Amino acid sequence: QVQLVESGGGLVQAGGSQRLSCAASIPPYMTYALGWFRQAPGKEREFVAAWSGGTTSYADSVKGRFTISGPTEGTVYLQMNSLKVEDTAVYYCAHRWGGILTGRNNYGSWGQGCQVTVSS
């Protein structure tokens, strides 16, 4: 599996911004996708955003507010703007071989998760 190390979680006020980082060491010999998922207490892990070869995809709930960038020097970023209380969750970066898919079961490697708490 691919090793993914996340950083950037924390507490932020509603309306604020935060950036998550995911450092990955990925063999470059085939197509891959890097995604961000999140899981709030009592809810299923849901797709947030993904990147593959310059193509990006976003969940409707974050479109226009979140931006996935990268990887740059092995690191993919999730820039989160205009944060809402409902964005509170543990955020996970993930890797899969192949292009972008939104289902969590399609990803074989996962970061350790970062708690993002948005307060009002």
Side-chain angles (χ1 to χ4, degrees):
Q1 294 186 344
V2 173
Q3 182 179 358
L4 305 172
V5 180
E6 300 179 39
S7 62
L11 177 66
V12 62
Q13 283 205 312
S17 299
Q18 193 162 1
R19 189 178 75 164
L20 302 180
S21 300
C22 178
S25 180
I26 307 171
Y29 55 83
M30 63 184 295
T31 301
Y32 67 92
L34 293 171
W36 288 95
F37 292 76
R38 66 186 182 186
Q39 187 166 21
K43 297 183 178 180
E44 294 185 347
R45 191 171 300 184
E46 66 176 3
F47 172 79
V48 175
W51 174 100
S52 182
T55 299
T56 59
S57 182
Y58 297 91
D60 288 341
S61 60
V62 306
K63 195 171 298 181
R65 299 188 298 119
F66 291 11
T67 302
I68 186 170
S69 300
T72 300
E73 297 182 346
T75 302
V76 63
Y77 301 95
L78 183 67
Q79 178 66 47
M80 304 182 292
N81 299 325
S82 302
L83 283 163
K84 305 174 181 179
V85 172
E86 50 263 45
D87 293 320
T88 296
V90 176
Y91 284 73
Y92 300 89
C93 62
H95 166 274
R96 73 176 303 274
W97 295 114
I100 292 174
L101 293 174
T102 59
R104 61 186 181 273
N105 291 337
N106 295 296
Y107 292 77
S109 299
W110 295 85
Q112 79 277 14
C114 286
Q115 176 69 50
V116 175
T117 301
V118 183
S119 63
S120 61

